[in-house]
Amino acid sequence: MNESDAIIFVVDDDAAMRRSLAYLFDSAGWQVATFESARDFLQRYDGHAPGCLLLDVRMPLMSGLELQQELARHAIALPVIFLSGHGDLAMAVQTMKAGACDFLEKPCKDQVLLDAVSRAVARSVDESRNAASANTAQSALARLTAREREVALLMAEGKASKVIARELGISDKTVQVHRHNTMEKLGLHSAAEVARLLMAGGQI
């Protein structure tokens, strides 16, 4: 996952503004997708593509603020940049508290907008990589039995087999078998690697 995979999603009911922004981002080398309404975006976005959402505040049927709230309800962590000609301080504060990356007023200098988008995309790509890493780790850990997971957690704490055996009430030989099976299933070679995988999978 890298920035070349990212898409800049533009949601604005002003057709001229959509064309202008699409041209700007395309010229800067970004992939762009435009939408004339928040509902149009929700119907077409699959919830997975990294990038950022450039969003007008005031639109018919569903406002930009309502779209931001809808994304939060569905746990879609696409970074949001508001670009509005009707902004005020209270509105900016509200959107930022709700997790927006930036709140920019129209007209906005091209470089200021491109810099904001670059920051948002970098954040999105990092989050996508972390999510992919967590999913991979969780899939690997799902191959372990309950006892192997217990052994793995104690291994990650740096505990020796004899200590693990005592804490779990099993023999040292049985711990050695579980250690071997754990390493084999995970394709790892050290307790430190097991610890990193457990951390990536949110287990510790």
Side-chain angles (χ1 to χ4, degrees):
M1 189 71 64
N2 54 59
E3 293 190 7
S4 64
D5 300 313
I7 302 174
I8 313 305
F9 300 96
V10 177
V11 182
D12 198 305
D13 59 326
D14 185 329
M17 179 59 69
R18 291 197 304 274
R19 287 193 298 270
S20 175
L21 292 172
Y23 177 78
L24 173 64
F25 297 131
D26 182 67
S27 298
W30 296 107
Q31 298 183 62
V32 190
T34 62
F35 308 86
E36 65 178 351
S37 71
R39 293 188 187 280
D40 185 28
F41 171 78
L42 287 173
Q43 289 171 357
R44 293 164 56 190
Y45 180 61
D46 65 6
H48 300 293
C52 76
L53 175 60
L54 192 65
L55 189 56
D56 192 12
V57 175
R58 295 184 180 177
M59 295 182 291
L61 300 179
M62 179 184 286
S63 71
L65 292 170
E66 290 170 331
L67 175 54
Q68 184 187 30
Q69 293 163 1
E70 189 69 15
L71 294 177
R73 275 195 291 272
H74 289 85
I76 296 175
L78 188 65
V80 175
I81 297 172
F82 281 96
L83 183 62
S84 176
H86 308 283
D88 58 32
L89 181 59
M91 187 181 294
V93 170
Q94 182 181 354
T95 61
M96 298 297 279
K97 281 185 175 180
C101 292
D102 274 296
F103 189 101
L104 305 174
E105 291 189 46
K106 300 175 183 176
C108 178
K109 291 183 179 179
D110 289 353
Q111 194 57 54
V112 171
L113 182 54
L114 291 172
D115 288 346
V117 165
S118 184
R119 289 192 298 269
V121 167
R123 169 178 153 181
S124 179
V125 169
D126 283 345
E127 290 173 349
S128 294
R129 285 175 180 161
N130 291 339
S133 177
N135 288 337
T136 299
Q138 288 164 6
S139 295
L141 293 169
R143 295 195 289 269
L144 302 180
T145 65
R147 180 62 85 186
E148 288 166 353
R149 188 173 287 106
E150 287 179 322
V151 170
L153 287 167
L154 294 171
M155 285 172 57
E157 294 177 12
K159 294 181 178 178
S161 294
K162 289 182 179 180
V163 176
I164 295 174
R166 186 167 60 249
E167 290 194 16
L168 296 181
I170 56 179
S171 71
D172 184 33
K173 184 176 180 180
T174 300
V175 171
Q176 294 288 354
V177 170
H178 287 315
R179 286 179 70 113
H180 173 78
N181 290 341
T182 296
M183 294 295 198
E184 193 81 10
K185 288 181 180 181
L186 299 179
L188 302 177
H189 303 92
S190 71
E193 290 178 320
V194 172
R196 285 193 290 271
L197 187 68
L198 287 166
M199 288 180 65
Q203 300 298 305
I204 57 175

